[in-house]
Amino acid sequence: MATRIALGQYLRNSRRTASIEEGQLIRLIEDVAYASRILAAMVGHGALGEVLGAAGSRNVQEEEQQQLDVLANDVVLETIRRSRHARAMISEEMDSVAEVEEARGYGRLLLLIDPLDGSGNIDINLPIGTIFSVLEAPMASQAILEQHVLQPGRRQLAAGYVLYGPSVVLVLTVGQGVAMFTLNRQVGEYLLVADQLRIPPGRHEYAINSANERFWSDDVRRYIGECQAGKDGPLGVDYSMRWTGAMVGDCHRVLLRGGVFMYPVDARTAAKGGKLRLLYEANPMALLMEQAGGAASDGQRSILDIQPTGLHQRVGVVLGDAEEVGRLVGYATGTAP
Ligand code: P6P
């Protein structure tokens, strides 16, 4: 019987060099995969796990934290403290950089993570996920400062997400295409189910929270209006709309089925720079989309080219099918008819 390749084997087969960074990168990704298996079990218990509901605290984003948000962050942080492959962790759930002192003088990597994206879906049993990004740390002996973290997304060494859905899937790139793994719960292993994923072109599906329409810019309003006009409109084809309330769920659908996911800056979010966070949401998803032949823009330029100015900086996001993204950016930059 042909057996599937496990995550660790895939990573070791794809390693480009025998450098220390590569070795630590492989083991850090395995650490994240290990933590995600714990999170999958926690999430999978639902109400039986006695960990649903609000934690009674707010994160640096001023968002109400769910108990599982806090627990998920703790699980990841404890995992990487023990393994010492990351010099620091930057998380949606923590105000500042969490140095891993145990890795001083050894760790070469930075882990940036949204431990549980879409936590508003937890109590209603809808998709949630973990989004992660890996950057190179400065020399192992230096203290990790915010400026070490503020690197453009094109510098990512790895990016991925775990989607806790009917099955648990891990999607990953180390810069050599996009691979997808499904968790075999019996053996506790992620097994390769697809490699070199490419976003299917020409699929007419868009994802946006339409309740924000009154806040949209003219170019977003034009783009969505043309999609809604369907085959009687200028595009000559009917579109459908999907919205899961969790970026990981919508991006996974775009990766496998095509279309576009959008959370543009609008009149309501402009003062904050947008809704989604650049370092640990937009950048990892943008790298995955580009690696899968798609595109990711803040409406004006590629997300991966943005020079970050803050750990929790927000940004507008439109990502997925390169042609769809290009049409919206063309409207926004005045380069489209
Ligand atoms: P809204 C989840 O809170 C999140 O950060 C993304 O995962 C998701 O795409 C978006 O916000 C949902 O936002 O405004 O629809 O609640």
Side-chain angles (χ1 to χ4, degrees):
M1 174 187 126
T3 58
R4 292 183 181 276
I5 296 177
L7 175 63
Q9 294 164 316
Y10 175 88
L11 290 169
R12 285 163 180 79
N13 294 344
S14 67
R15 65 192 294 179
R16 292 158 291 194
T17 70
S19 71
I20 292 177
E21 286 83 352
E22 285 282 311
Q24 289 192 9
L25 180 61
I26 289 172
R27 288 191 291 277
L28 178 56
I29 293 169
E30 289 179 322
D31 292 341
V32 174
Y34 169 77
S36 77
R37 295 202 301 269
I38 297 172
L39 300 186
M42 289 165 68
V43 167
H45 288 152
L48 300 177
E50 307 296 337
V51 288
L52 296 188
S57 52
R58 289 184 175 276
N59 61 22
V60 67
Q61 334 278 342
E62 278 309 305
E63 292 166 343
E64 184 177 45
Q65 290 178 302
Q66 301 299 305
Q67 291 183 74
L68 273 175
D69 280 323
V70 178
L71 288 170
N73 191 73
D74 293 347
V75 164
V76 178
L77 193 51
E78 276 317 300
T79 300
I80 68 166
R81 282 199 194 289
R82 276 197 299 273
S83 67
R84 302 188 314 132
H85 301 130
R87 269 295 281 116
M89 176 166 139
I90 295 85
S91 165
E92 175 180 344
E93 304 307 333
M94 299 190 295
D95 298 5
S96 54
V97 176
E99 279 213 64
V100 179
E101 283 304 331
E102 298 85 338
R104 188 186 281 265
Y106 172 76
R108 304 291 183 95
L109 303 172
L110 302 174
L111 176 66
L112 300 87
I113 193 161
D114 181 356
L116 220 48
D117 167 67
S119 50
N121 281 352
I122 292 172
D123 291 2
I124 52 173
N125 201 30
L126 288 182
I128 52 179
T130 297
I131 309 173
F132 64 93
S133 167
V134 181
L135 292 170
E136 188 170 358
M139 281 313 293
S141 55
Q142 274 186 287
I144 302 298
L145 307 173
E146 185 168 312
Q147 71 231 36
H148 296 135
V149 182
L150 301 181
Q151 303 176 39
R154 227 167 270 291
R155 299 271 300 275
Q156 293 174 96
L157 300 175
Y161 61 79
V162 178
L163 176 60
Y164 309 104
S167 64
V168 179
V169 298
L170 185 149
V171 172
L172 170 74
T173 183
V174 291
Q176 298 170 15
V178 178
M180 181 165 77
F181 304 81
T182 297
L183 179 63
N184 178 323
R185 298 173 198 263
Q186 280 67 40
V187 300
E189 199 43 275
Y190 281 104
L191 302 181
L192 184 69
V193 293
D195 198 3
Q196 299 306 315
L197 283 172
R198 306 294 289 178
I199 296 173
R203 303 293 178 83
H204 304 108
E205 232 170 28
Y206 67 90
I208 193 168
N209 181 339
S210 301
N212 299 325
E213 180 170 357
R214 64 190 183 284
F215 303 118
W216 292 345
S217 60
D218 291 343
D219 46 273
V220 171
R221 200 182 303 281
R222 176 183 173 188
Y223 175 89
I224 298 297
E226 289 177 349
C227 293
Q228 291 171 332
K231 60 179 181 302
D232 303 328
L235 302 177
V237 63
D238 287 340
Y239 276 67
S240 56
M241 198 280 282
R242 296 284 183 274
W243 189 250
T244 69
M247 184 184 195
V248 176
D250 286 312
C251 288
H252 190 64
R253 186 192 58 255
V254 167
L255 187 66
L256 297 188
R257 211 160 74 186
V260 65
F261 166 80
M262 306 167 66
Y263 214 112
V265 175
D266 61 30
R268 182 176 54 99
T269 61
K272 291 183 176 178
K275 159 107 188 201
L276 302 179
R277 274 63 51 149
L278 174 61
L279 287 181
Y280 40 78
E281 289 177 331
N283 269 342
M285 287 304 186
L287 184 61
L288 288 164
M289 294 296 156
E290 287 203 3
Q291 285 282 315
S297 170
D298 67 350
Q300 301 287 328
R301 60 200 155 154
S302 169
I303 284 172
L304 295 178
D305 294 332
I306 296 173
Q307 173 54 53
T309 55
L311 293 181
H312 303 290
Q313 175 179 346
R314 296 169 186 260
V315 68
V317 176
V318 51
L319 57 75
D321 179 311
E323 189 177 324
E324 294 291 338
V325 173
R327 181 151 62 86
L328 180 81
V329 172
Y331 295 159
T333 58
T335 55

